Amino acid sequence: MSHFLNELTLTMTTTSSSTATSPSPLFSFHNNHHHPPRQHLSFLHLTRRRFIPLSQHQSTHHHPSNDVVSSPSLPKPLSSTNCLTPASDGPRLRVAYQGVSGANSEAAAETAYPNCEPVPCEQFDTAFQAVERWLVDRAVLPIENSLGGSIHRNYDLLLRHNLHIVGEVKLPIRHCLMANPGVKIEDLKRVLSHPQALAQCEHTLAKFGVTRVAVDDTAGAAQFVARNKLEDAGAVASAAAARIYGLNILAEDIQDDPDNVTRFLMLARDPIIPEPTSIVFSLAEGPGTLFNALAAFAMRKINLIKIESRPLRKGNNGSSKIFDYYFYLDFEGSTADLNAQRALSNLEEFATLLRVLGSYPADTKDM
């Protein structure tokens, strides 16, 4: 596999701060080469008789909320050509996550796969690509937060990429306000963090009278403040990020609601067959179509856990209308269950698209 890896352009991260620790390489793909010769299962399109591969779709971009002052992305890492050891050659699972060392996603990866080798990636899309290109074994990415709601970007990427959901993990999120040594809260004029983190700490930050600045991720904000030795800016990130980048914690647990939990999905190239199951489908326009779709499960007494809608991109699925939607649905049961198979076959009769995203073990531990 090394001949394949030699053709990829990777990105290495460096830091000028004496207190910061350089994380592992961040993957940043700059070209499209052929996949390695090993075969793997693609996402599945359900038919009444068999599963067949489904083509990819384009994704949309997430935009920060209007009340957050946006800034350019964190400084891009230096580019260099590097050859990595293939994932299958090492004793530890290599798990991709979005962000840099100290991110909550890194903690989720280590919770999902203890003793793994966490691999930071610049963007969510890069983590998907890293799994598809056999650079890592798994990816762990956020899908929803108990306060901020769904991570729409990752719903779109689930449809665009050929990976399977094989598990989930729920992580309590504890935000800290941090700054360089010697800087006090009253010195701060702005605070950097991910838009979701800023929204989750909105009331606390308003009391401090600081300007909120949206950047790519929480730990990246801490790294940026430390690297540039800022004296008028702080970051909202994890306690681990403060420790890694040598920042002082000025305030702990600054989230507005103590019940702040993020649900992460574990993604792999190959599926497994436990439960629950996640699917995505679209419907033709008409009265009662969504009712009929949900009735396919209700009449078989299959419990629905969650339903989420996302805009169907213009031109996808043969439709040019605006305000058409994909529906993402989680239900109790696996595709190995005859009852679930019948429900999906029933849904497939009138769905314009139906795709199984994965069956996986639910995270049922108390938060």
Side-chain angles (χ1 to χ4, degrees), residues 41 50 57 102 299 345:
L41 298 177
R50 61 192 178 96
H57 296 269
M299 65 188 298
S345 293

Side-chain angles (χ1 to χ4, degrees), residues 271-341:
I272 59 176
I273 311 292
E275 60 178 78
T277 297
S278 295
I279 65 172
V280 58
F281 62 92
S282 60
L283 301 167
E285 184 179 358
T289 54
L290 181 57
F291 172 84
N292 292 334
L294 301 182
F297 299 91
M299 65 188 298
R300 294 172 177 86
K301 301 188 184 302
I302 296 175
N303 187 41
L304 304 184
I305 303 170
K306 180 181 179 180
I307 186 168
E308 174 90 16
S309 63
R310 293 290 296 143
L312 191 155
R313 294 294 293 264
K314 187 174 181 179
N316 280 359
N317 209 30
S319 172
S320 60
K321 296 181 180 179
I322 60 174
F323 301 121
D324 284 344
Y325 291 89
Y326 291 118
F327 297 95
Y328 292 80
L329 188 145
D330 297 348
F331 66 87
E332 291 181 354
S334 80
T335 53
D337 298 334
L338 181 59
N339 202 33
Q341 290 175 10

Side-chain angles (χ1 to χ4, degrees), residues 102-122:
N104 288 310
S105 291
E106 181 183 40
E110 293 173 333
T111 301
Y113 298 103
N115 302 317
C116 72
E117 180 185 346
V119 180
C121 299
E122 285 186 317

